[in-house]
Amino acid sequence: MTHDVPITGIRPILTLIHTNGERLLVARLTNVGASSQSNRFVLRRADLRAPWEQPDKGYFGYAEVARALDANGWRGCTIEAMPTTDPDESRARALARRKLHMQCVNVAIQRAAVPLPPKGGA
């Protein structure tokens, strides 16, 4: 039997910058003791409100973040790791940045592979 520790907060780790200058935060969920849930994220605006509807389970994984960004017009956004003085956390944030970037590229490839509907009249 596993014991799930309750989620108690969020830890912002990445900043997403849209081409129009708008910013979003990607934050890891944290439990009691501030340990992070490595693959559980929420998306937030700077005022910590959700930018759009969140999943029923309450969090995103890397692939779900990438699909949500694509579906909501955040194609081509810049992904930046937030600064930290902890070297282990810095490595974890850089890895999260690379993983999210890879998922965004995969979503873009999948979108490009889908044929466009024919244009009328030609």
Side-chain angles (χ1 to χ4, degrees), residues 17-76:
I17 305 166
H18 194 280
T19 54
N20 68 8
E22 186 179 355
R23 293 176 176 262
L24 290 179
L25 302 174
V26 177
R28 275 202 175 109
L29 299 179
T30 60
N31 352 349
V32 176
S35 63
S36 293
Q37 299 289 305
S38 63
N39 294 322
R40 295 181 179 183
F41 306 100
V42 293
L43 291 169
R44 295 291 184 255
R45 291 188 173 111
D47 61 5
L48 300 181
R49 290 182 300 129
W52 47 76
E53 190 172 324
Q54 303 291 290
D56 291 337
K57 61 186 173 185
Y59 60 86
F60 292 96
Y62 286 107
E64 294 163 317
V65 170
R67 285 192 298 270
L69 292 171
D70 186 71
N72 288 284
W74 279 70
R75 299 175 189 134

Side-chain angles (χ1 to χ4, degrees), residues 38-119:
S38 63
N39 294 322
R40 295 181 179 183
F41 306 100
V42 293
L43 291 169
R44 295 291 184 255
R45 291 188 173 111
D47 61 5
L48 300 181
R49 290 182 300 129
W52 47 76
E53 190 172 324
Q54 303 291 290
D56 291 337
K57 61 186 173 185
Y59 60 86
F60 292 96
Y62 286 107
E64 294 163 317
V65 170
R67 285 192 298 270
L69 292 171
D70 186 71
N72 288 284
W74 279 70
R75 299 175 189 134
C77 67
T78 303
I79 305 168
E80 296 179 350
M82 298 182 89
T84 179
T85 57
D86 179 357
D88 291 332
E89 182 65 20
S90 182
R91 280 191 292 277
R93 290 177 185 191
L95 178 61
R97 180 187 171 278
R98 287 192 299 274
K99 286 182 176 182
L100 181 55
H101 181 264
M102 182 181 67
Q103 291 296 329
C104 288
V105 169
N106 287 338
V107 168
I109 290 168
Q110 290 170 0
R111 183 177 15 89
V114 175
L116 295 174
K119 293 184 178 182

